[in-house]
Structure formats: C-alpha cells, structure tokens
C-alpha cells in the first residue's frame, strides 16, 4: 500500500493516476494538512510517495520507481522504447512543468499588473512552444508512447489543466488535445480527481 502526499490538481495527480493505472491502492494525504511537511520533504513540494519505509521524492523518480516495480504497459519493454519513455518523462517533468511553474510564479508576484501581464505572455509563449513539440510527435502517433498510453501522456494531461488558471493564450494543437482528452476521460483520471475532492470535503 502506498501513501501519496499531494496538493489538489498539482503534479501529484499524475502520480495518483499512474498508481491507479497500475491498480495499486493508495492513501492520500493533503500536504496542506501536514504541520511538519518539510521534515518529510525539505524541498517542500509534492509528490512524496511512501512505499513502506521508503520515502520517494521528485516526480520523475517517483514515476520511474512505480513503473519499474509493477508490470505495466505504460513503460515499453525494449531498450529503445525505455530510453524514449525516460526522455519523455524528463521532458514533462523538467521542461513542461517548470515552464508552467514560471506562470505560477508570475501570477503570485506583486509587480505592476501590465509588467506582469507582459511577462506572463512571454512565459506562455514558451509553454506553447513546448506543446508544439508534443504536437509534432503526435503527427505520427496517438500517444507519446506510440499507440500505447504512456506515463508522460498522463503527466501532460495534468499540466494541461493548469492553463485555464492564467489570463494568457496557451496554444495546444489538435492531436495533442485529442490525446489529452482521452487521458482526462479515462476512469483512472476521474477516480483520482474524485479521490482528491473527497479528501478535501472530509
Ligand atoms: N521537482 C519537483 C517539483 C514539484 C513541484 O513543484 N510541486 C509543486 C506542485 S505541482 C508543489 O508541491 N509546490 C509547493 C506548493 O505549492 O506548496 C518534482 O518534480 O517533484
């Protein structure tokens, strides 16, 4: 049984969805309800996954831990496929996530409103540029995993939901939108969202 420290709608949602795809039960703990969270993760961020006594930090490392531990179709079995999957996970975690992170930072910064809007538009251009990279890949295939859903598709679906929080245009191409829609409509995604909401209501 896993325990996942999460924040509502945050990147930890992808960890939860993947655990559900792997049919692994998980207990959720909202980071906001933990007094000593920095003792669990000094960086102060989610996801944190407890696997028994093991404390796992950093979204990409957490993702690889669970994908390697449980047999699944989200991670290819060939060396080339695994290399591509690793690159894709890092693209999501280390390129797309920080690009959205700049928007979150700017939205919370106390600067002149027109300066902030200009900076946010610049930051949104970078996010759109990265979505164009995804769109290019999806010209030939349905998912970043090929015809098979991958962990990265799930991570990107979680990040894509953040776009609506910002007063800027973020361009996501049609193939990418179809992929994201497929992921968001999966039962595991809906269950994960409901589980977060149930925690908040409790
Ligand atoms: N490099 C870290 C970044 C994680 C991260 O930035 N998580 C955000 C949520 S998406 C967070 O926990 N922010 C702290 C907060 O909002 O309190 C990872 O990949 O795990």
């Amino acid at each position: 049984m896993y325990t996942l420290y999460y924040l509502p709608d945050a990147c930890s949602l992808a960890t939860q969805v993947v655990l559900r795809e792997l049919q692994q039960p998980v207990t959720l703990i909202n980071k906001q309800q933990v007094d000593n969270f920095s003792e669990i993760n000094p960086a102060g961020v989610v996801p944190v996954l407890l696997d028994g006594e093991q404390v796992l930090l950093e979204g990409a490392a957490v993702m690889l831990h669970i994908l390697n531990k449980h047999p699944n179709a989200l991670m290819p079995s060939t060396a080339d496929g695994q290399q591509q999957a690793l690159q894709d996970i890092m693209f999501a975690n280390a390129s797309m996530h920080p690009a959205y992170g700049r928007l979150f930072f700017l939205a919370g910064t106390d600067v002149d409103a027109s300066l902030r809007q200009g900076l946010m538009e610049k930051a949104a251009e970078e996010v759109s540029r990265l979505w164009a990279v995804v769109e290019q890949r999806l010209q030939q295939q349905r998912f970043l995993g090929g015809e098979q859903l991958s962990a990265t598709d799930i991570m990107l679906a979680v990040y894509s939901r953040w776009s609506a929080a910002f007063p800027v245009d973020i361009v996501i191409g049609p193939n990418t939108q179809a992929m994201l829609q497929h992921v968001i409509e999966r039962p595991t995604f809906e269950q994960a969202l409901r589980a977060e909401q149930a925690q908040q209501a409790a």
Side-chain angles (χ1 to χ4, degrees):
M1 171 67 117
Y2 291 102
T3 301
L4 176 65
Y5 290 87
Y6 79 102
L7 279 168
D9 287 320
C11 52
S12 44
L13 181 61
T15 318
Q16 196 205 149
V17 174
V18 170
L19 283 169
R20 287 176 185 276
E21 290 285 340
L22 304 179
Q23 297 178 333
Q24 295 304 310
V26 58
T27 299
L28 299 180
I29 301 179
N30 187 332
K31 179 206 153 186
Q32 288 157 331
Q33 286 159 8
V34 179
D35 289 335
N36 58 344
F37 187 75
S38 63
E39 287 172 24
I40 300 164
N41 183 3
V45 295
V46 295
V48 174
L49 188 69
L50 306 187
D51 181 0
E53 297 292 298
Q54 217 177 348
V55 182
L56 302 161
L57 308 178
E58 288 296 326
V62 169
M63 200 59 90
L64 289 171
H65 176 86
I66 55 179
L67 291 172
N68 288 330
K69 185 161 173 177
H70 305 285
N72 66 81
L74 296 174
M75 177 61 97
S77 52
T78 64
D80 284 354
Q82 288 181 0
Q83 177 63 26
Q84 183 64 59
L86 178 57
Q87 281 174 206
D88 290 344
I89 288 171
M90 295 316 298
F91 169 82
N93 181 259
S95 295
M96 189 68 93
H97 185 304
Y100 274 100
R102 285 192 276 279
L103 284 168
F104 280 107
F105 171 78
L106 289 167
T109 306
D110 187 17
V111 291
D112 170 76
S114 71
L115 172 64
R116 181 172 54 228
Q117 182 64 25
L119 291 171
M120 285 182 95
E121 281 165 15
K122 278 277 167 221
E125 278 173 26
E126 174 62 4
V127 174
S128 297
R129 193 184 67 76
L130 294 173
W131 282 120
V133 173
V134 177
E135 183 67 12
Q136 184 65 34
R137 288 276 305 285
L138 296 182
Q139 299 293 314
Q140 284 87 32
Q141 58 194 57
R142 204 164 158 223
F143 301 107
L144 287 172
E147 288 314 299
Q148 174 62 48
L149 179 73
S150 72
T152 302
D153 297 293
I154 294 169
M155 295 165 83
L156 292 176
V158 169
Y159 308 160
S160 71
R161 300 173 79 247
W162 299 339
S163 303
F166 306 108
V168 286
D169 285 335
I170 291 175
V171 181
I172 300 182
N175 295 316
T176 308
Q177 283 187 23
M179 177 278 278
L180 298 172
Q181 194 61 26
H182 173 95
V183 176
I184 287 168
E185 284 173 0
R186 285 179 84 78
T188 52
F189 204 99
E190 290 172 7
Q191 288 156 8
L193 280 175
R194 273 205 302 276
E196 286 192 352
Q197 285 154 10
Q199 277 277 315
Q200 281 164 266

